[in-house]
């Protein structure tokens, strides 16, 4: 068995929303793929996507062998766990999705706002530390059923309710920690590797690509953009290496349009985006300055003076959050500490009573907050447990979060 640990991170109680488990898996990439596929199938009900035509499966198999050999080996283990022949090209063996319901194969517009993040400047941080914090904001609902106004299937699980902290220790290759859910092979959405490279994902509704679609199979070629963090964590140590790797790959959007924040222990940080014409764009952190990420294209709207018209009172609007983050940063005093990064994302914590007024999604909550210290190669996470009561005089809902749990190398 490659799985060394599979345990709840804290005791699960009735009424608590998020129930995360810590999984440690070790061995060859093929063994890792095999055991995660067995676990995914038996515990999470994972099913493999099906390609629209075997030509896509054959092309992707060749693509992985040439561009992501680590995934090619993991896929071999996945095929074995699902009882498929090694030359199968019907099923997508690069992903183990779970807890997705009523996806629309033709795609649709996903009216979501979602997440925020801040990278503090290393030049002004205590001991030259590199501190990053992000909120994982999403509707506390069954995805996609309830988001699309459908009745959720009986026995379904809400989004990210079954959270995973997946620690992989390959015999050859970088160790990594991936934090998220809804995918057992490469959980969405945060990750850090033993070299101090950090990658995370945010919704970018104005990018190109389908939304609300299945996570795998179909007409996928190259990489789904949501798989890119796993590739980078498997193969890269720095932001510059990650940029080179990105530019060498073919990327397409499924499930959700996204952009990525990438940072490393040297203090370099960038946001990678697909433009509306499909070209690849990078927006780098400037020296001595922070970098903030919400849900619009930074290559288009990098500074407040470039923002389109928006409602300043809509607290969860992507541009409003940028201003809130800037105001919170202005109130900090260097040298910055890792707790200052958490304070930044706490300023844009998502929990509102009138979601339309805030321009957040219905029942949208900060389902987790992850704060990373890249110099020390740690990531600390706390999870959403449930609502308490409205906060008088505000549009905010008081909610319950777990304590922080720290993972690292």
């Amino acid at each position: 068995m490659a799985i060394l640990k599979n345990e709840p991170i804290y005791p699960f109680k009735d009424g608590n929303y998020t129930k995360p488990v810590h999984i440690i898996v070790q061995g060859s990439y093929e063994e890792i793929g095999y055991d995660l596929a067995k676990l995914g199938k038996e515990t999470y009900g994972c099913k493999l996507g099906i390609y629209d035509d075997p030509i896509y499966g054959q092309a992707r198999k060749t693509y992985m062998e040439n561009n992501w050999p680590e995934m090619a080996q993991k896929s071999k283990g996945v095929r074995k766990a699902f009882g498929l022949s090694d030359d199968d090209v019907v099923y997508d063996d690069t992903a183990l999705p779970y807890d997705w319901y009523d996806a629309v194969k033709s795609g649709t517009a996903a009216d979501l706002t979602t997440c925020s993040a801040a990278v503090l400047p290393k030049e002004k941080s205590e001991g030259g530390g590199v501190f990053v914090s992000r909120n994982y904001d999403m509707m506390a609902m069954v995805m996609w059923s309830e988001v699309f106004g459908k009745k959720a299937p009986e026995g379904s699980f809400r989004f990210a309710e079954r959270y995973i902290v997946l620690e992989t220790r390959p015999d050859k290759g970088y160790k990594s920690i991936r934090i998220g859910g809804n995918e057992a092979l490469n959980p969405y959405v945060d990750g850090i590797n033993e070299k101090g490279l950090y990658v995370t994902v945010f919704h970018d509704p104005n990018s190109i690509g389908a939304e609300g679609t299945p996570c795998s199979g179909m007409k996928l070629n190259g990489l789904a953009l949501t798989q890119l963090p796993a590739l980078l964590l498997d193969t890269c140590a720095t932001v510059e290496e990650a940029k080179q790797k990105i530019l060498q790959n073919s990327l397409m959007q499924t499930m959700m349009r996204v952009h990525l924040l990438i940072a490393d222990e040297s203090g370099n940080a960038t946001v990678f985006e697909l433009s509306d014409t499909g070209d690849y764009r990078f927006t780098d952190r400037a020296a001595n300055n922070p970098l903030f990420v919400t849900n619009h294209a930074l290559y288009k709207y990098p500074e407040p003076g470039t923002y389109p018209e928006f409602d300043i009172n809509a607290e969860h609007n992507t541009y409003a959050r940028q201003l809130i983050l800037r105001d919170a940063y202005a109130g900090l005093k260097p040298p910055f500490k890792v707790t200052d990064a958490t304070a930044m994302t706490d300023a844009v914590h998502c929990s509102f009573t009138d979601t339309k007024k805030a321009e957040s999604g219905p029942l949208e909550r900060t389902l987790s907050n992850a704060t990373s210290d890249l110099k020390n190669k740690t990531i600390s996470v706390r999870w959403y447990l449930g609502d308490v009561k409205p906060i008088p005089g505000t549009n905010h809902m008081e909610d319950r979060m777990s304590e922080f749990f720290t993972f690292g190398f």
Side-chain angles (χ1 to χ4, degrees):
M1 285 289 290
I3 294 178
L4 305 181
K5 182 178 183 179
N6 180 14
E7 298 175 359
I9 290 172
Y10 49 75
F12 299 160
K13 297 180 181 179
D14 290 343
N16 285 355
Y17 183 91
T18 317
K19 302 170 181 65
V21 296
H22 183 197
I23 298 169
I24 301 176
V25 58
Q26 178 176 294
S28 68
Y29 282 112
E30 181 179 345
E31 290 170 332
I32 288 170
Y34 175 78
D35 279 352
L36 288 177
K38 279 195 67 177
L39 176 70
K41 187 168 59 169
E42 295 168 2
T43 302
Y44 297 96
C46 296
K47 296 180 180 179
L48 301 182
I50 300 175
Y51 291 109
D52 289 353
D53 188 287
I55 192 172
Y56 294 99
Q58 182 59 66
R60 284 196 90 211
K61 178 177 283 191
T62 303
Y63 182 92
M64 296 301 174
E65 290 168 353
N66 292 336
N67 293 274
W68 191 2
E70 296 84 359
M71 175 56 80
Q73 287 299 306
K74 283 185 274 190
S75 294
K76 189 174 182 179
V78 171
R79 291 193 296 274
K80 182 179 178 182
F82 276 84
L84 300 173
S85 66
D86 201 43
D87 60 356
D88 179 85
V89 291
V90 173
Y91 292 93
D92 185 348
D93 47 34
T94 70
L96 295 169
Y98 66 92
D99 295 352
W100 297 98
Y101 311 90
D102 291 314
V104 181
K105 192 171 183 181
S106 59
T108 187
D111 187 18
L112 310 173
T113 41
T114 72
C115 317
S116 310
V119 183
L120 293 180
K122 176 180 181 177
E123 299 86 355
K124 298 179 181 180
S125 293
E126 187 176 68
V130 182
F131 306 132
V132 185
S133 188
R134 72 102 79 226
N135 289 340
Y136 186 18
D137 302 336
M138 190 64 77
M139 275 86 86
M141 303 167 72
V142 175
M143 189 75 70
W144 292 97
S145 306
E146 292 180 337
V147 174
F148 292 161
K150 298 180 180 180
K151 183 178 179 180
E154 186 175 350
S156 56
F157 292 88
R158 294 166 294 180
F159 184 78
E161 190 174 1
R162 299 198 288 176
Y163 222 99
I164 290 175
V165 175
L166 176 62
E167 190 171 337
T168 57
R169 301 173 180 175
D171 293 342
K172 297 179 181 179
Y174 295 149
K175 299 180 180 69
S176 67
I177 299 169
R178 297 163 198 191
I179 298 175
N182 300 77
E183 219 277 53
L185 192 61
N186 298 295
Y188 312 123
V189 289
D190 298 295
I192 184 173
N193 70 16
E194 64 177 309
K195 295 297 182 180
L197 184 74
Y198 172 82
V199 189
T200 191
V201 174
F202 307 80
H203 190 217
D204 181 7
N206 295 316
S207 184
I208 59 171
E211 297 200 283
T213 64
C215 309
S216 58
M218 302 182 298
K219 292 183 174 64
L220 263 172
N221 62 76
L223 292 182
L225 200 57
T226 48
Q227 293 180 305
L228 181 57
L231 167 66
L232 301 181
L233 294 171
D234 276 349
T235 61
C236 300
T238 67
V239 167
E240 289 306 306
E241 286 182 13
K243 287 181 177 180
Q244 287 294 319
K245 184 66 69 172
I246 289 169
L247 293 171
Q248 294 165 20
N249 275 274
S250 173
L251 302 167
M252 66 181 293
Q253 304 267 30
T254 62
M255 184 182 69
M256 189 178 293
R257 299 169 191 157
V258 298
H259 54 183
L260 275 65
L261 169 63
I262 310 166
D264 64 30
E265 68 168 339
S266 76
N268 287 342
T270 194
V271 175
F272 166 65
E273 297 167 324
L274 283 180
S275 78
D276 48 17
T277 58
D279 54 320
Y280 295 6
R281 303 290 187 97
F282 297 100
T283 301
D284 297 337
R285 182 185 75 83
N288 298 300
N289 288 307
L291 180 63
F292 305 131
V293 191
T294 51
N295 305 116
H296 61 269
L298 286 184
Y299 80 90
K300 276 188 173 182
Y301 308 110
E303 302 289 340
T306 67
Y307 296 167
E309 186 175 344
F310 68 97
D311 182 358
I312 189 65
N313 297 308
E315 295 176 78
H316 202 61
N317 177 285
T318 181
Y319 304 107
R321 274 179 285 144
Q322 285 276 340
L323 298 184
I324 293 170
L325 287 166
R326 289 168 187 273
D327 287 345
Y329 178 73
L332 298 179
K333 294 182 179 179
F336 303 131
K337 300 177 175 62
V338 68
T339 51
D340 291 323
T342 307
M344 296 292 297
T345 47
D346 281 350
V348 287
H349 183 85
C350 181
S351 190
F352 298 99
T353 53
D354 185 337
T355 57
K356 288 186 177 180
K357 180 180 178 181
E359 293 188 10
S360 68
L363 283 178
E364 186 174 350
R365 296 292 184 263
T366 294
L367 298 182
S368 68
N369 171 259
T371 299
S372 297
D373 178 344
L374 302 189
K375 186 175 179 180
N376 289 317
K377 303 175 183 62
T378 62
I379 184 166
S380 300
V381 190
R382 58 183 171 178
W383 285 273
Y384 170 72
L385 301 179
D387 290 347
V388 179
K389 60 184 177 181
I391 300 174
T394 76
N395 189 26
H396 294 193
M397 174 69 72
E398 180 186 349
D399 60 20
R400 295 182 296 119
M401 301 288 288
S402 75
E403 63 182 290
F404 274 111
F405 294 83
T406 299
F407 310 89
F409 303 96

